[in-house]
Amino acid sequence: MAFANAQYLDAINRNLHDVQGKVNVSFEFFPPKTAQMEQTLWQSIERLAPLTPSFVSVTYGANSGERDRTHDIIKSIKQRTGLIAAPHLTCVDATKQQLIDIARDYWQNGIRHIVALRGDLPANSTDVPELYAADLVEILRSVADFDISVAAYPEVHPQAPNAQFDLLNLKRKVDAGASRAITQFFFDPEKFLRYRDRCAAIGIDVDIIPGILPVTNFQQLQKFAGLTNVAIPGWMNKAYQGLDNDPTTRNLVAANIAMEMVKVLSREGVDQFHFYTLNRSELSYAICHLLGVRPVL
């Protein structure tokens, strides 16, 4: 086992030398549901804050209680760390006036960056949403000069009828005033690069930031991927075989896979990466360290 772990560490260290130039990172968290989860969240935020990320985002749940927690966490992050804190904001199950009121409250509390999303529809719902992400971008722009991120889907949104429809929807969000797009996680860098080229070809001129998910729980990943239309390469399935009871090697595998992706994307001029932390800091911190993103002493 020690020999296998050493091999992975050597591979990771080799990757460091292949990543050139300045790298900017950002991190995503989700609202905790228990006191223990909240403690883990703050430990992760405090661990990653010294890396001076471009921003940190907090997801937005489908019910009012979770939405309130997002509001509270965002304000606390700003107050406790001084980081740029970007709440997710969804327009599902919200009126235009409610969204305006939320946006005004954020602006009055010094929150300038928002991740604007349509949001998940209720399970088995056949209702047609009244508002979409492009509408939300327009609403935010009508309230104040927010910095707005939106979502992008290199492997097509699971509810989009086809890839061209999905791409044009991203263009509508950008034309409405989005500042950048953050992608769903993926595991084939070539799919991201082809997607970036297609975005440029139709006049989408904002940064397309790859979303990176270090995978420590392969079974959980399979559930996520099934819901989000993300393809899991066969080699990943083989890479995690036999590691159910070996978290140390799983972490090394996860770090190596993420670094390989970053290495390929960096060679193609990508210098911004958004990490889906799942409220854990260890892997994201280690990967950032290898990328040269380190605390300023």
Side-chain angles (χ1 to χ4, degrees):
M1 183 63 67
F3 177 71
N5 289 351
Q7 285 183 313
Y8 279 118
L9 286 171
D10 287 343
I12 291 170
N13 285 326
R14 286 196 300 272
N15 288 344
L16 172 61
H17 300 290
D18 292 321
V19 179
Q20 302 296 325
K22 179 174 173 56
V23 173
N24 295 304
V25 299
S26 54
F27 304 109
E28 179 181 291
F29 304 100
F30 63 84
K33 296 182 179 179
T34 67
Q36 183 176 359
M37 290 173 67
E38 183 169 0
Q39 183 179 8
T40 299
L41 168 66
W42 281 108
Q43 288 172 345
S44 297
I45 291 172
E46 289 166 2
R47 175 69 164 154
L48 295 170
L51 302 182
T52 60
S54 301
F55 63 92
V56 297
S57 66
V58 179
T59 62
Y60 198 61
N63 58 71
S64 59
E66 197 163 317
R67 291 177 176 182
D68 290 341
R69 286 195 292 272
T70 297
H71 298 323
D72 293 341
I73 292 167
I74 283 292
K75 294 173 184 177
S76 295
I77 289 173
K78 185 177 186 301
Q79 292 167 0
R80 290 172 58 168
T81 70
L83 294 174
I84 295 175
H88 287 209
L89 183 59
T90 65
C91 47
V92 166
D93 197 27
T95 67
K96 180 176 180 180
Q97 188 57 52
Q98 287 173 325
L99 295 169
I100 290 172
D101 292 342
I102 292 170
R104 285 175 175 166
D105 180 66
Y106 276 136
W107 189 265
Q108 290 167 4
N109 282 275
I111 304 301
R112 302 291 185 259
H113 186 167
I114 290 180
V115 181
L117 308 164
R118 185 201 70 180
D120 295 330
L121 298 173
N124 302 317
S125 173
T126 58
D127 294 340
V128 177
E130 294 184 11
L131 298 169
Y132 289 85
D135 302 311
L136 178 54
V137 173
E138 289 182 353
I139 291 169
L140 292 172
R141 286 286 178 217
S142 74
V143 171
D145 188 22
F146 284 104
D147 187 10
I148 303 172
S149 296
V150 294
Y153 300 87
E155 297 178 81
V156 185
H157 189 284
Q159 294 173 352
N162 55 63
Q164 186 65 13
F165 179 95
D166 195 35
L167 197 64
L168 291 173
N169 189 50
L170 175 59
K171 190 172 191 308
R172 281 191 289 272
K173 292 186 281 189
V174 172
D175 290 345
S179 311
R180 71 188 57 75
I182 302 169
T183 76
Q184 176 64 269
F185 65 88
F186 58 92
F187 300 104
D188 183 348
E190 291 300 322
K191 288 184 178 179
F192 171 86
L193 295 171
R194 288 195 296 270
Y195 181 74
R196 187 181 64 169
D197 290 345
R198 293 178 61 226
C199 287
I202 67 167
I204 297 174
D205 58 358
V206 299
D207 289 328
I208 311 295
I209 301 176
I212 305 297
L213 176 64
V215 178
T216 58
N217 186 326
F218 190 74
Q219 291 181 342
Q220 186 180 56
L221 169 67
Q222 290 175 308
K223 295 179 181 177
F224 283 167
L227 296 171
T228 54
N229 197 39
V230 173
I232 301 176
W235 58 262
M236 279 191 70
N237 189 30
K238 293 179 180 179
Y240 285 92
Q241 283 180 357
L243 300 181
D244 290 349
N245 299 314
D246 187 353
T248 300
T249 303
R250 281 206 312 270
N251 284 351
L252 290 168
V253 171
N256 193 40
I257 289 172
M259 280 300 305
E260 284 289 341
M261 290 179 57
V262 168
K263 178 177 68 173
V264 172
L265 297 174
S266 180
R267 285 174 176 169
E268 297 295 331
V270 178
D271 61 3
Q272 300 182 70
F273 299 91
H274 186 70
F275 289 92
Y276 296 108
T277 70
L278 302 181
N279 287 10
R280 307 293 303 195
S281 63
E282 298 89 346
L283 272 184
S284 295
Y285 190 95
I287 295 166
C288 288
H289 179 84
L290 293 172
L291 290 172
V293 179
R294 302 180 182 185
V296 177
L297 302 178

